[in-house]
Amino acid sequence: MRRPIDFSRRSWRVKSVGLPLPKNPRYRNWRTGPLLLAVTLVASASAGEPAGLPTSRIDLTPKDQARVLAVTKPTSDFTKPEPFELMQGGAGTSEKDVNRDAFSQSSSNITFEEEGTFKLGNALFRKNWVSSPSSTQASDGLGPLFNERACQNCHLKDGRGRPPEGSTSSTSMFLRLARDASSAEEKAALADHQALNFPDPVYGSQLQDLAVPGLKGEGRMRIVYTEEKAKLADGTVISLRKPSYSVEGLGYGPLDPRTTLSPRLTPPMIGLGLIEQIAPTDILAHADPDDSDGDGISGRPNIVRDGGETTLGRFGWKAQAASIRRQAADAFAGDVGISTPEVPRHWGDCTEAEKDCLALPNGVQQRLGTTEAPPPVMDLVTFYSQNLAVPARRDIGKPEVLAGKKQFYEMGCISCHTPKFVTMRGTPNKAQAFQLIWPYSDFLLHDMGEGPADGQRVGEASGSEWRTPPLWGIGLTATVNGNSFYLHDGRARTLEEAILWHGGEGRKARDRFAAADAANRAALIKFLESL
């Protein structure tokens, strides 16, 4: 996406809302982007960019827009917490005791009736599906090839997954299988956003290691780690484990030589409904695909289709899903092998080459609907996913946390991990309307260099680009999941390792961290642990 930005017009735009000019050029997109986007996106659309994306926040009055610009302004005062910083998930923030259930609480501002809907969705999220045919007709349709029997089995305690260690029979990380376009027709499909990439002709879009009785799984993910040493400026040496991926025990012949393997750890579920209600304009305002300001940070949106319309992708490691419902439908199909109205594949990811799989019965019950998970099931699971609360911050006033926050800003981490947004007014659920939230993400694609690259294209995302993951809740990873594995494949065992894997657009921030003294590095980690 090429979106020229006219810096010469920014001065009067900023003054018109009574805000001072930014001293740091990296803040310019943030401060003035919503006001300029109407001009820049119209120009982009005429150059072939997808039409239909909002070009301004029509949900806000000029007065409200000025308020939003003021409240989302990056701070320069690190002597005390900012107003409302404790409640990083807005009014829905959970202030309950911090324990293993910290990511499983409902939004604090939903109604009593909605709490009942949330609990029903939770029950479906935890439900183990069974193979067809079965006596429990509302629960059959599993697979026939699958990775897990329930959503909760991958999203452990609604938190992040973990790479397989020891036995590979149970994991919350899987391998995406895909190749790039190889014909004119496929290239046209990518250009028109009709496809994100193309599956392996035999094994489909995901490796399923499990299968229903009478059928064999597709194979097993194999990981080999090697240790690499990273020496910091003060002489500290940190070991980074570099993974290499392959598949063993392939059940249906070899993979296509063009097929790439991309490991994907399941991400935390908290705050998804709030992310869904960030105005597209506010996300796009941070994009700088040509690095017009010369700071080495670009950021590009992944434009995808949802319900036939082109829109902004914001969920998934490559921002490949535009909505929670679509993300859930894709997971039902790929992970569990369950069909939904959005993805009506009754045999999940089975391909035409896997004839034994396609010959098995599916779980569609006509009296319940035309898919194995009919609309009422999707409604409940989606509502549950939209209303998992973000936990409150901890220790935000401690000197070491404030010092770490200063380091986070000064090292340039906020160039991608945008601290805060204000959600839209008029949202489908009032609980997510006009909330000040602190996700620490811009939800854009960034080139992270060759280190974390998977070589797999997903829509607009190249093989080295990843969506900036939100950081809220990251400090509770060990509390909720009993482990600390970070990045898309869990290679990082500590937050320090995760930072040191940053390359490409994240290289400057990574180098500043590596050059910092031990006290400043420790303070930065304390800040992250408070999120």
Side-chain angles (χ1 to χ4, degrees):
M1 177 178 180
R2 305 184 67 85
R3 188 165 59 87
I5 301 175
D6 185 355
F7 286 98
S8 66
R9 306 182 71 174
R10 293 190 170 193
S11 175
W12 68 265
R13 295 276 185 179
V14 175
K15 289 178 181 177
S16 69
V17 295
L19 296 176
L21 284 171
K23 294 181 180 179
N24 187 333
R26 185 58 195 164
Y27 298 159
R28 291 176 183 171
N29 283 358
W30 162 78
R31 288 192 176 182
T32 62
L35 299 175
L36 285 174
L37 208 60
V39 175
T40 55
L41 280 188
V42 168
S44 297
S46 65
E49 289 299 328
L53 290 177
T55 58
S56 62
R57 284 199 64 167
I58 60 174
D59 63 311
L60 300 181
T61 64
K63 182 179 180 180
D64 278 346
Q65 179 69 77
R67 289 174 59 200
V68 168
L69 287 171
V71 78
T72 55
K73 172 185 176 181
T75 187
S76 58
D77 181 1
F78 302 101
T79 63
K80 61 182 182 299
E82 295 176 68
F84 313 112
E85 191 173 4
L86 177 71
M87 306 294 282
Q88 59 181 342
T93 300
S94 170
E95 297 184 86
K96 295 189 176 181
D97 292 341
V98 172
N99 54 36
R100 287 207 68 198
D101 293 322
F103 288 176
S104 299
Q105 306 301 324
S106 61
S107 300
S108 299
N109 57 344
I110 61 175
T111 67
F112 180 78
E113 289 184 351
E114 288 172 335
E115 184 69 32
T117 303
F118 178 87
K119 290 177 179 178
L120 288 173
N122 185 20
L124 289 170
F125 198 78
R126 294 171 177 269
K127 181 173 75 167
N128 282 315
W129 295 81
V130 299
S131 57
S132 302
S134 76
S135 59
T136 55
Q137 293 184 354
S139 298
D140 67 352
L142 176 69
L145 296 167
F146 61 97
N147 294 109
E148 274 296 352
R149 296 176 57 196
C151 305
Q152 183 73 35
N153 294 349
C154 288
H155 296 277
L156 308 172
K157 303 293 289 183
D158 301 298
R160 74 180 63 235
R162 59 178 301 155
E165 294 188 346
S167 172
T168 59
S169 60
S170 179
T171 182
S172 46
M173 187 171 85
F174 54 81
L175 285 176
R176 284 277 172 84
L177 311 176
R179 60 175 178 81
D180 209 340
S182 59
S183 68
E185 290 79 10
E186 289 180 345
K187 291 177 181 178
L190 288 177
D192 193 38
H193 309 288
Q194 298 292 343
L196 296 171
N197 49 36
F198 301 94
D200 184 87
V202 174
Y203 293 94
S205 61
Q206 189 167 314
L207 184 77
Q208 282 91 21
D209 57 338
L210 302 176
V212 299
L215 192 68
K216 58 185 176 182
E218 292 180 322
R220 297 179 302 279
M221 172 172 46
R222 184 171 185 266
I223 312 175
V224 175
Y225 292 108
T226 57
E227 296 288 335
E228 296 184 352
K229 303 298 182 182
K231 188 174 182 179
L232 309 186
D234 63 0
T236 301
V237 176
I238 295 179
S239 185
L240 307 179
R241 64 175 187 176
K242 181 178 181 180
S244 175
Y245 296 93
S246 61
V247 181
E248 58 186 14
L250 284 165
Y252 302 90
L255 289 163
D256 188 290
R258 299 167 297 173
T259 296
T260 57
L261 309 178
S262 180
R264 303 291 178 85
L265 201 71
T266 51
M269 298 285 293
I270 57 173
L272 298 184
L274 294 166
I275 294 170
E276 194 169 43
Q277 297 307 323
I278 297 173
T281 298
D282 290 352
I283 294 175
L284 293 170
H286 291 272
D288 184 14
D290 300 317
D291 192 17
S292 298
D293 58 9
D295 67 351
I297 308 295
S298 56
R300 303 190 304 126
N302 201 353
I303 303 300
V304 300
R305 287 193 181 271
D306 190 31
E309 300 295 326
T310 54
T311 188
L312 178 68
R314 60 181 79 198
F315 298 106
W317 285 105
K318 300 262 189 177
Q320 71 272 14
S323 65
I324 296 171
R325 194 180 188 96
R326 180 66 198 204
Q327 181 84 336
D330 288 340
F332 264 126
D335 302 347
V336 194
I338 296 295
S339 61
T340 62
E342 290 74 21
V343 185
R345 300 201 306 260
H346 306 320
W347 289 269
D349 196 34
C350 293
T351 68
E352 293 182 4
E354 296 170 317
K355 298 186 184 302
D356 289 343
C357 178
L358 296 177
L360 293 172
N362 63 59
V364 175
Q365 309 294 328
Q366 290 298 331
R367 64 185 179 82
L368 300 175
T370 58
T371 55
E372 292 161 328
V377 170
M378 287 300 295
D379 291 344
L380 291 168
V381 170
T382 300
F383 186 86
Y384 174 73
S385 302
Q386 288 171 331
N387 286 283
L388 283 161
V390 179
R393 286 277 306 279
R394 300 155 308 287
D395 303 326
I396 62 173
K398 287 190 173 182
E400 60 268 35
V401 171
L402 290 169
K405 181 180 178 182
K406 182 179 181 182
Q407 292 299 316
F408 188 83
Y409 277 59
E410 292 184 347
M411 288 181 186
C413 303
I414 67 166
S415 294
C416 300
H417 291 283
T418 303
K420 44 191 168 173
F421 290 91
V422 173
T423 61
M424 294 183 288
R425 289 194 184 274
T427 58
N429 187 324
K430 290 182 180 180
Q432 282 95 42
F434 211 55
Q435 298 294 310
L436 172 63
I437 62 173
W438 307 68
Y440 286 92
S441 172
D442 61 7
F443 305 99
L444 296 171
L445 300 172
H446 292 275
D447 189 329
M448 296 303 292
E450 288 305 309
D454 63 356
Q456 188 172 107
R457 173 176 178 163
V458 183
E460 299 282 346
S462 72
S464 59
E465 287 182 312
W466 302 93
R467 181 201 71 156
T468 307
L471 295 181
W472 52 13
I474 198 168
L476 294 176
T477 300
T479 300
V480 171
N481 294 129
N483 62 72
S484 298
F485 296 108
Y486 306 102
L487 302 182
H488 68 282
D489 57 0
R491 68 177 66 191
R493 296 157 293 190
T494 64
L495 292 170
E496 289 92 342
E497 287 183 40
I499 295 168
L500 292 171
W501 272 112
H502 282 52
E505 296 176 44
R507 169 65 65 177
K508 288 183 179 179
R510 181 259 183 219
D511 289 348
R512 292 178 186 125
F513 177 80
D517 60 34
N520 283 335
R521 295 199 309 271
L524 175 61
I525 298 304
K526 284 290 185 183
F527 167 68
L528 293 175
E529 290 174 344
S530 78
L531 296 178

